[in-house]
Amino acid sequence: PCGLIAASRFSDKFTLPSTSGFSINTNNIAWPADKDKYKMPDDFDPANYVTTGLFGQDMIDPAAGGDISKDEALMVWMRTAALPDFRKLYGRIETDIPAGTTLSFNIDASYDVSQFEGEKHLVVSTVSWLGGKNSFLGWAYLIVGVLCIFLSLGFMAKHY
């Protein structure tokens, strides 16, 4: 990976204590398009690549063995955000959490945001069949899609 996005890779780590009964799954967080984009060439040699970023953090997860096609956290980080305030998926808690449960996270905060007066937040959210916490956009797409279908049927009926 190259460029400022890769060189400024987010390096904080989040874990849940083993006593909580929950764990964060960091697999399958990249989109299929990202996985296709970052496939490694056949002649890949990790010795030819810079492995540390601007702030001394690993650019490619050491657990991936230098293979970017196995580092989904980097793939998610490399997907540029459209706005200055953004969220990036870190992982999933794949077990149901009963209502009223208090979660405590262990946070290894190694990504320094003071240089650019940034802020970091940990957001725990649920998703519905329409996507994230705000279902407005999903409903808007559905309504506009249905409206387009009816309009096209109306125009087709008028034309014939």
Side-chain angles (χ1 to χ4, degrees):
C2 61
L4 288 177
I5 297 171
S8 65
R9 179 191 181 151
F10 183 76
S11 56
D12 287 1
K13 301 289 182 204
F14 305 97
T15 56
L16 288 162
S18 58
T19 56
S20 71
F22 302 107
S23 64
I24 301 173
N25 183 358
T26 57
N27 296 322
N28 296 320
I29 59 173
W31 295 349
D34 294 337
K35 292 179 182 180
D36 289 341
K37 181 192 248 181
Y38 295 108
K39 285 184 178 174
M40 297 306 296
D42 294 333
D43 60 348
F44 171 72
D45 181 8
N48 294 331
Y49 293 88
V50 175
T51 58
T52 55
L54 293 175
F55 309 113
Q57 79 280 18
D58 290 322
M59 286 175 57
I60 301 175
D61 185 4
D67 186 352
I68 192 174
S69 67
K70 296 178 184 171
D71 191 354
E72 293 191 33
L74 180 61
M75 293 178 203
V76 170
W77 182 251
M78 293 288 289
R79 191 178 327 116
T80 54
L83 300 171
D85 294 330
F86 58 89
R87 293 181 181 182
K88 299 280 184 165
L89 179 63
Y90 180 83
R92 293 184 179 91
I93 301 172
E94 294 179 330
T95 54
D96 290 336
I97 301 172
T101 301
T102 300
L103 292 176
S104 296
F105 290 86
N106 297 322
I107 301 174
D108 174 16
S110 58
Y111 187 79
D112 183 23
V113 295
S114 64
Q115 296 178 4
F116 52 89
E117 298 177 10
E119 296 179 359
K120 297 186 285 187
H121 303 274
L122 173 64
V123 178
V124 179
S125 179
T126 59
V127 293
S128 68
W129 65 278
L130 289 174
K133 67 176 180 139
N134 187 350
S135 59
F136 170 77
L137 192 59
W139 282 113
Y141 283 147
L142 285 173
I143 291 169
V144 169
V146 168
L147 183 65
C148 287
I149 289 172
F150 283 121
L151 285 172
S152 66
L153 291 174
F155 286 129
M156 197 165 62
K158 182 180 177 187
H159 184 268
Y160 294 106

